[in-house]
């Protein structure tokens, strides 16, 4: 059985405590800013890649649930996002309260204890109520409120969630997607406090923002700040607020099987954008996208880059084969991908990281170590250490040995 070192998980999640914004927003914004309220849910479902829900009226039956409120948005918590500790058959699209969650979902001390049980040495956690790249705040009518909420979340992330953990909880910030210069300023503000990881959308146009191909360079201030501060851009599946599916009546299993697809589209976007030639030190990472699909995409991208140069629209801006750009600028991660592990030579052993996805429904907690041991049978110790630990340390610029 291979020896698994303490794992650095590059994709976990945190359920924000009720005080995150109420403790930090100016008094004038507390009543409209994010706050938790307990109400009943009439129904909740996830069909065709769309999560939908309906609140119960006062005289209707329903299930108690904690809801986040901001402006006119009412958003219920769901068990899929806080599934740790539930038997598989009880992990359903259903309402949940903070009281019904495992405490490690939101409490720092309990999280560290759950990491110990799981052989995880350090963890990078994506947001929940702000959604995977902070798009909840980008959707606000009041831009000042959105800006305050972004900064309050980042202050909580660094000063409270990660503080005092000796680097075990790794800070991951959100930015003001609606203003690339504000985003650049926020990158620099938090890099000065030791943060070198930011969330971003896999496909910004799905959120109503310019693509990374934008001819006017909308994202350039943000990208320049990330490159300048060694901040890695992390893109989680679903960070475009759309999950792949084939029809409005497709069962959830269709979308769950296709979760990697947006990461695939996004990677091709970046490789064919010319961004890496303009920002030669920039690094991006895909979270929960798995890795088995990467070799063919790189092979196809190289063929297109070489053979379609006359009409492909990239000859003047993509100056190296896409596969070479990938191996300089991109990391992938996985938690269950046997095919990907058989393809390490084609992907690059130094471009792969690992995750436990705590406390989501796909999480391998509390069996991540045992699963990793089974998955890495046949790999040499150096490769195992790279995947489980060393690649993430390099990617995130950690001080961890």
């Amino acid at each position: 059985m291979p020896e698994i070192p303490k794992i650095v998980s590059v994709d976990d999640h945190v359920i924000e405590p009720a005080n995150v914004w109420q403790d930090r927003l100016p008094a004038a914004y507390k009543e409209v800013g994010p706050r938790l309220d307990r109400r009943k849910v009439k129904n909740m479902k996830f069909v065709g890649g769309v999560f939908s829900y309906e609140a119960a009226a006062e005289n209707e039956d329903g299930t108690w649930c904690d809801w986040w409120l901001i402006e006119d948005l009412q958003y219920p918590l769901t068990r899929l996002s806080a599934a740790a500790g539930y038997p598989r058959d009880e992990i359903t699209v259903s309402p949940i309260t903070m009281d019904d969650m495992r405490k490690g979902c939101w409490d720092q001390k309990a999280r560290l204890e759950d990491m110990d049980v799981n052989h995880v040495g350090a963890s990078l956690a994506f947001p929940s109520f702000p959604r995977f790249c902070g798009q909840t705040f980008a959707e606000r009518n009041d831009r000042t409120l959105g800006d305050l909420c972004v900064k309050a979340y980042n202050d909580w992330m660094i000063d409270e969630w990660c503080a005092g953990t000796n680097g075990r909880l790794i800070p991951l910030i959100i930015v003001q997607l609606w203003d690339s210069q504000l985003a650049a300023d926020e990158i620099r503000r938090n890099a000065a406090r030791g943060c070198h990881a930011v969330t971003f959308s896999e496909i910004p146009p799905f959120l109503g923002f310019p693509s990374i191909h934008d001819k006017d360079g909308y994202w350039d201030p943000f990208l320049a700040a990330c490159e300048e501060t060694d901040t890695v851009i992390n893109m989680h599946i679903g960070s475009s607020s759309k999950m792949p599916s084939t029809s409005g009546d497709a069962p959830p299993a269709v979308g769950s099987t296709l979760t990697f697809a947006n990461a695939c589209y996004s990677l091709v976007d970046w490789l064919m954008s010319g961004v890496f030639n303009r920002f030669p030190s920039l690094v991006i990472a895909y979270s929960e996208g798995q890795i088995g699909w990467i070799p063919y995409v790189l092979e196809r991208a190289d063929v297109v880059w070489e053979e379609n140069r006359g009409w492909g629209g990239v000859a003047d801006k993509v100056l190296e084969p896409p596969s070479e750009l990938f191996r300089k600028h991109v990391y992938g991660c996985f938690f269950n991908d046997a095919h990907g592990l058989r393809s390490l030579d084609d992907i690059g052993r130094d471009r792969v990281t690992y995750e436990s996805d705590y406390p989501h429904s796909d999480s391998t907690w509390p069996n991540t170590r045992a699963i990793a041991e089974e998955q890495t049978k046949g790999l040499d110790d150096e490769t195992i250490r790279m995947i489980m630990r060393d690649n993430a340390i390099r990617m995130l610029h950690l001080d961890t040995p």
Side-chain angles (χ1 to χ4, degrees), residues 191-308:
R193 301 194 285 176
C195 178
H196 296 284
V198 62
T199 66
F200 190 65
S201 175
E202 58 200 354
I203 307 175
F206 285 179
L207 301 179
F209 297 109
S211 78
I212 57 167
H213 305 288
D214 182 56
K215 62 182 177 58
D216 296 323
Y218 174 85
W219 295 108
D220 281 8
F222 166 72
L223 298 175
C226 289
E227 181 183 49
E228 170 195 319
T229 59
D230 291 327
T231 297
V232 61
I233 298 172
N234 297 266
M235 291 171 281
H236 196 284
I237 59 167
S239 57
S240 59
S241 293
K242 288 187 179 181
M243 292 299 287
S245 192
T246 55
S247 65
D249 56 357
V254 173
S256 186
T257 303
L258 294 172
T259 52
F260 73 93
N262 281 351
C264 176
Y265 303 155
S266 176
L267 175 61
V268 176
D269 244 359
W270 282 82
L271 294 178
M272 297 298 190
S273 68
V275 164
F276 295 131
N277 295 109
R278 292 187 291 114
F279 300 99
S281 299
L282 193 67
V283 174
I284 66 173
Y286 287 96
S287 306
E288 206 172 328
Q290 311 304 328
I291 57 174
W293 53 271
I294 292 174
Y296 173 71
V297 168
L298 296 182
E299 177 184 311
R300 176 61 182 164
D302 279 357
V303 169
V304 169
W305 178 81
E306 180 64 39
E307 309 234 346
N308 297 351

Side-chain angles (χ1 to χ4, degrees), residues 104-352:
C105 293
W106 53 268
D107 178 79
Q108 185 203 74
K109 182 176 181 293
R111 174 62 64 95
L112 293 171
E113 291 170 353
D114 281 354
M115 288 166 59
D116 289 339
V117 168
N118 208 29
H119 197 62
V120 171
S123 166
L124 185 78
F126 282 81
S128 295
F129 172 64
R131 311 217 298 281
F132 291 151
C133 67
Q135 58 264 56
T136 294
F137 303 133
E139 295 165 355
R140 304 284 50 88
N141 295 320
D142 186 335
R143 290 301 195 201
T144 299
L145 173 61
D147 179 59
L148 289 168
C149 287
V150 166
K151 291 173 178 173
Y153 177 84
N154 294 339
D155 289 344
W156 170 80
M157 167 62 59
I158 293 174
D159 297 336
E160 191 167 327
W161 179 248
C162 298
T165 66
N166 197 28
R168 295 193 65 193
L169 296 179
I170 305 162
L172 175 65
I173 63 165
I174 58 178
V175 292
Q176 303 88 336
L177 296 170
W178 62 91
D179 187 320
S180 186
Q181 186 56 59
L182 278 180
D185 294 342
E186 189 66 5
I187 290 291
R188 294 186 176 98
R189 181 176 82 94
N190 290 287
R193 301 194 285 176
C195 178
H196 296 284
V198 62
T199 66
F200 190 65
S201 175
E202 58 200 354
I203 307 175
F206 285 179
L207 301 179
F209 297 109
S211 78
I212 57 167
H213 305 288
D214 182 56
K215 62 182 177 58
D216 296 323
Y218 174 85
W219 295 108
D220 281 8
F222 166 72
L223 298 175
C226 289
E227 181 183 49
E228 170 195 319
T229 59
D230 291 327
T231 297
V232 61
I233 298 172
N234 297 266
M235 291 171 281
H236 196 284
I237 59 167
S239 57
S240 59
S241 293
K242 288 187 179 181
M243 292 299 287
S245 192
T246 55
S247 65
D249 56 357
V254 173
S256 186
T257 303
L258 294 172
T259 52
F260 73 93
N262 281 351
C264 176
Y265 303 155
S266 176
L267 175 61
V268 176
D269 244 359
W270 282 82
L271 294 178
M272 297 298 190
S273 68
V275 164
F276 295 131
N277 295 109
R278 292 187 291 114
F279 300 99
S281 299
L282 193 67
V283 174
I284 66 173
Y286 287 96
S287 306
E288 206 172 328
Q290 311 304 328
I291 57 174
W293 53 271
I294 292 174
Y296 173 71
V297 168
L298 296 182
E299 177 184 311
R300 176 61 182 164
D302 279 357
V303 169
V304 169
W305 178 81
E306 180 64 39
E307 309 234 346
N308 297 351
R309 294 184 71 77
W311 60 272
V314 298
D316 60 339
K317 60 183 180 181
V318 181
L319 307 181
E320 301 173 63
S323 61
E324 292 184 15
L325 293 174
F326 175 87
R327 293 184 178 96
K328 293 177 182 177
H329 299 275
V330 186
Y331 289 87
C333 84
F334 77 101
F335 61 83
N336 187 7
D337 190 342
H339 179 74
L341 285 173
R342 293 194 296 270
S343 306
L344 283 177
D345 289 339
D346 295 319
I347 300 167
R349 293 165 191 261
D350 61 338
R351 312 315 297 178
V352 176

Side-chain angles (χ1 to χ4, degrees), residues 41 67 99 260 312:
V41 171
W67 295 65
D99 297 335
F260 73 93

